[in-house]
Amino acid sequence: MTINTESTRQQAINARNASRSLNQLSSADRTQLLHGIADALIRKSDLILEANQADIKEAEQSVLNGSLAPELLKRLRIDDARIASLADGIRSIAEMPEPIGAVLVDRELGDGLHLQQVTAPLGVILVIFEARPDALPQIAALSLRSGNGLILKGGKEARRSNAAL
């Protein structure tokens, strides 16, 4: 496993730059990327499951010594069915209508004055989540579809699973 030594500031700058790059892609390009991610989840499922099993083994010891709540152990588990469900969910997100540039309001306010409310990406989103590695691909897919940069902070209980994902 690789340890990320990048500063928080640099991560934010990279996420902002990624957001700007995403905004340059067409809807079809982002759709294609999402389908590629879904396919990769299936293709790499053995690697993901192996990493998840290592996290579960460590977490079971933490439950036994009282340093981890048993509920978190249940959320940590990933299996083949969950990976297939995640891939299907990402494919569904890929096929959603284009979220960037949709006109929500279009009004003529007066002579030469026109008002439009148009959807736009937020920029960079930070998401902190616990022992829920299945949240990572879901959040990433939504962020990619909506053209937002993303910084994710997963729980230490799922560090191997998150790295594999």
Side-chain angles (χ1 to χ4, degrees):
M1 185 170 95
T2 304
I3 302 297
N4 187 356
T5 58
E6 201 173 23
S7 74
T8 303
R9 178 176 169 70
Q10 190 59 51
Q11 287 177 359
I13 290 168
N14 291 345
R16 180 188 63 203
N17 292 338
S19 173
R20 290 175 177 163
S21 295
L22 281 174
N23 287 312
Q24 299 304 311
L25 296 177
S26 69
S27 181
D29 289 340
R30 283 184 281 112
T31 297
Q32 184 177 7
L33 283 171
L34 287 166
H35 282 290
I37 291 169
D39 294 343
L41 278 175
I42 300 299
R43 206 173 44 254
K44 300 286 187 174
S45 64
D46 289 344
L47 175 73
I48 295 165
L49 294 173
E50 182 181 313
N52 185 250
Q53 283 303 310
D55 284 340
I56 288 170
K57 186 175 181 179
E58 187 176 307
E60 286 172 339
Q61 290 301 313
S62 296
V63 168
L64 289 175
N65 71 27
S67 63
L68 183 69
E71 302 80 39
L72 291 181
L73 183 61
K74 191 185 303 184
R75 291 184 213 148
L76 183 61
R77 286 190 200 283
I78 298 176
D79 58 17
D80 282 320
R82 187 65 189 134
I83 290 175
S85 176
L86 287 168
D88 288 344
I90 291 171
R91 287 185 187 100
S92 293
I93 291 169
E95 298 306 320
M96 290 172 58
E98 173 57 41
I100 301 172
V103 177
L104 302 176
V105 175
D106 189 1
R107 282 187 209 149
E108 180 93 23
L109 297 179
D111 192 27
L113 185 58
H114 193 76
L115 172 73
Q116 277 193 331
Q117 183 180 11
V118 181
T119 59
L122 296 171
V124 176
I125 300 170
L126 168 66
V127 179
I128 301 171
F129 56 100
E130 287 186 328
R132 240 200 163 95
D134 60 334
L136 188 150
Q138 295 168 338
I139 296 164
L142 288 168
S143 181
L144 187 110
R145 185 68 184 137
S146 62
N148 288 293
L150 184 61
I151 300 173
L152 293 170
K153 172 64 176 101
K156 65 181 183 225
E157 308 82 14
R159 72 179 183 281
R160 292 177 195 90
S161 301
N162 290 338
L165 287 163

